[in-house]
Amino acid sequence: MGSFDVPLEDGRTQLEAFVEEHRAAIEAALDGLSEDQARRRLVPSATTLLGLLKHVTWMQRVWFEECVGGTSRRELGLVGNPDESFRLSDDDTVASVTAAHREACATARAAVADLPLDAVVTGHRTGPRTLHWVYLQVLRELAQHCGHADILREQVLAG
C-alpha cells in the first residue's frame, strides 16, 4: 500500500505507508545493476548506491533496535557512527546488503507493532523521544537517501 492509498487513514497508517514506500525505493535503486555499478564511487565521500542501502539498514537498526528496543549498538554489532555505516566490505553484495535491509525492516516492524505512536522510547544515547518522532526521523533519512540514490543511479546508468 502506497502513500497515495492512505490519504484519509489514521496517522500511524500514513507514516507506515510512507516509510514502506521509501524502503522499497531505496532497494529499487539497485535493480538491474551489476556489483561494480552498485559499488561505483561518483562523489568524494564513501557514498555509493550499495553503501546507501547499507547505511539505511544501519540507520533503521539504530532507531528501531537501539532506540526503541533498548539494545546497544555494541550488542547489536553495529558500527559506532553514520560515516562508518556507508563503508563496504569485500563480502558485501547487492544480494547480501538487500537481505540485511529486509531483515532490519522486518525486525523494525516487529519492534513497533504493539506500541502506540505516543510511546516514549528511551534506548537512544541522546535521550528519550516518542515513537512518532522515531518514525519521522526514519522517514526523513530514507527520503534524503532515496534522493541521493536517484542521482547516483542516473549517473551510473549514464556512465
Side-chain angles (χ1 to χ4, degrees):
M1 181 176 342
S3 59
F4 280 92
D5 298 321
V6 296
L8 301 176
E9 300 293 329
D10 63 280
R12 174 79 173 247
T13 301
Q14 290 176 349
L15 281 172
E16 289 175 351
F18 274 90
V19 167
E20 292 299 336
E21 200 168 69
H22 284 79
R23 284 172 171 162
I26 195 88
E27 282 189 24
L30 295 170
D31 285 352
L33 298 183
S34 69
E35 295 293 334
D36 287 340
Q37 288 173 313
R39 289 174 162 273
R40 188 169 300 152
R41 277 183 70 178
L42 299 166
V43 294
S45 70
T47 305
T48 63
L49 283 164
L50 191 58
L52 280 168
L53 186 58
K54 188 171 181 176
H55 167 72
V56 299
T57 300
W58 173 87
M59 175 271 299
Q60 291 182 82
R61 292 193 69 199
V62 165
W63 289 113
F64 292 113
E65 294 177 49
E66 180 185 39
C67 182
V68 175
T71 306
S72 73
R73 291 178 196 189
R74 184 182 51 72
E75 291 173 287
L76 293 168
L78 296 176
V79 296
N81 65 62
D83 290 341
E84 293 176 67
S85 71
F86 285 91
R87 294 195 185 107
L88 300 172
S89 73
D90 291 342
D91 295 335
D92 288 327
T93 64
V94 171
S96 70
V97 175
T98 299
H101 181 250
R102 289 177 181 170
E103 183 178 332
C105 293
T107 300
R109 287 182 205 103
V112 300
D114 296 327
L115 296 175
L117 285 178
D118 61 354
V120 175
V121 294
T122 60
H124 198 266
R125 60 187 174 193
T126 61
R129 60 210 63 235
T130 64
L131 179 59
H132 187 247
W133 187 97
V134 171
Y135 266 106
L136 291 173
Q137 172 62 18
V138 168
L139 180 57
R140 176 175 64 174
E141 287 232 18
L142 285 168
Q144 177 183 14
H145 294 310
C146 281
H148 297 148
D150 286 343
I151 292 167
L152 289 176
R153 181 177 172 87
E154 183 178 328
Q155 289 178 316
V156 163
L157 293 175

